[in-house]
Amino acid sequence: MRVAFISDLHGNIHALTAVKRFLSENIVNQVVVVGDLVGYGASPGPVIDFVRREGWLVGLGSSDLRVAMEFGEREGRKGIADQVLQWTKKTLATEQLEYLRRLPPGGRLMTPVGKVRYFHGSPHDPEQRLDLMANERELEELAEQLSARVIVVGGTHVPFIRMVGDTTFVDPGSVGLSLNHEPGADVAIVDCIGRKPKVMLHKVPYDYSSSAFDIMAWNLPAVIADVIRTGRMT
C-alpha cells in the first residue's frame, strides 16, 4: 500500500496541477491532503474544486479554519497571511466555504504496517502545531495514545522525517509555499509494506513564474511571490 501525503496547498493551482502529474507517474493507492488548501496563493477556489474532483482524503488546516469559521479569526492580526485570508473569504463561493467547514480535523488509515494518523497541527486542533523536534518521550507518548505506526502533520512548510521508537513522524512540507530553500512542490510518499514503513520525500518542479504572476495580478503581498520563486522567507 502506497500513500501520498501533501500539505499546505495554499491556493497554488500551478503547483497542485504539477503534483497531480507527478502522482500519475508514481502510482499510489491513496492521496491524503493534510490541511491548508487556502491561504497565501491566488487560486483558493480552483484548488478547493480540484481537490473535491479528485476525491482525495482531506483534513482541516489552520488557514482553512480561519477562512471558514468565525471563531477561527484572531483580532488584531495584520500580517501577510491575514491579509490574504481576508481576501480569500471574499473570493470563495458559498459552496467552497461550506466544503471547508465540513472538513474533519484529521483522519486515520489502516495499512499492512499498522495505523496511520494524519492531522494538520495536533489531533484535535489544526492551529496547535506539533513540534516534531520535541523530546522523544513526548512523541512516544503521543504515538502510544494514537496507537499509530506513522503520524503525519503539516504546517511548517519544511519536509521532515523522524523515527521515534517504532513510529515514523512525517511532515510532507508544502505544495504551495515550500520553505526549505528550494522552490517546488513537496510530496511525501509512504510505502506501508514490509516490517516498517518507508518514506520518500520528493520535490516536484512547476511553473513558479505563473504562480508568482498570479500573486502580483491580484495585488497580493509581493513577498509571497518571492517565496514561491526562491523557497525561502526573506
Side-chain angles (χ1 to χ4, degrees):
M1 184 175 182
R2 290 183 104 206
V3 184
F5 289 93
I6 58 177
S7 186
D8 297 272
L9 314 187
H10 286 307
N12 190 333
I13 192 63
H14 301 285
L16 185 57
T17 302
V19 166
K20 178 62 168 62
R21 288 196 298 267
F22 171 80
L23 292 177
S24 70
E25 299 166 358
N26 295 267
I27 304 301
V28 297
N29 301 100
Q30 183 65 265
V31 179
V32 178
V33 183
V34 195
D36 274 4
L37 279 66
V38 302
Y40 295 109
S43 302
V47 164
I48 291 173
D49 293 342
F50 188 105
V51 170
R52 291 178 68 184
R53 286 195 304 271
E54 293 298 323
W56 294 340
L57 295 177
V58 184
L60 180 70
S62 55
S63 294
D64 307 324
L65 175 69
R66 289 169 55 199
V67 165
M69 307 287 192
E70 290 301 323
F71 61 79
E73 296 181 359
R74 293 178 177 178
E75 295 297 329
R77 292 173 61 104
K78 297 181 180 179
I80 290 171
D82 301 276
Q83 294 177 39
V84 180
L85 291 178
Q86 291 300 319
W87 172 84
T88 300
K89 289 181 182 181
K90 300 173 184 177
T91 302
L92 294 181
T94 301
E95 62 270 20
Q96 293 165 338
L97 288 168
E98 284 298 324
Y99 173 78
L100 294 181
R101 293 186 184 111
R102 292 194 301 269
L103 290 177
R108 69 192 71 196
L109 297 170
M110 294 306 301
T111 77
V113 298
K115 187 188 298 181
V116 177
R117 290 292 304 268
Y118 61 90
F119 39 84
H120 188 74
S122 70
H124 306 293
D125 185 354
E127 294 195 296
Q128 184 182 358
R129 184 177 297 173
L130 178 65
D131 181 11
L132 296 188
M133 295 299 292
N135 68 68
E136 288 196 0
R137 187 56 198 151
E138 286 183 36
L139 296 178
E140 286 174 350
E141 289 176 354
L142 177 63
E144 291 171 4
Q145 292 170 12
L146 300 178
S147 302
R149 288 292 308 280
V150 181
I151 295 176
V152 185
V153 300
T156 70
H157 297 212
V158 177
F160 185 81
I161 305 171
R162 184 180 179 186
M163 284 288 302
V164 179
D166 292 329
T167 302
T168 303
F169 291 82
V170 182
D171 186 327
S174 173
V175 168
L177 200 73
S178 184
L179 294 178
N180 70 331
H181 292 199
E182 181 183 359
D186 302 320
V187 178
I189 294 181
V190 182
D191 276 322
C192 300
I193 55 176
R195 298 182 62 185
K196 64 179 182 179
K198 178 181 178 182
V199 183
M200 295 160 287
L201 300 177
H202 300 270
K203 179 73 71 172
V204 179
Y206 68 92
D207 187 355
Y208 326 124
S209 297
S210 292
S211 292
F213 176 84
D214 289 349
I215 296 294
M216 306 306 292
W218 282 102
N219 200 31
L220 297 174
V223 65
I224 300 173
D226 292 337
V227 174
I228 286 172
R229 285 189 290 252
T230 64
R232 66 182 70 198
M233 186 72 76
T234 57

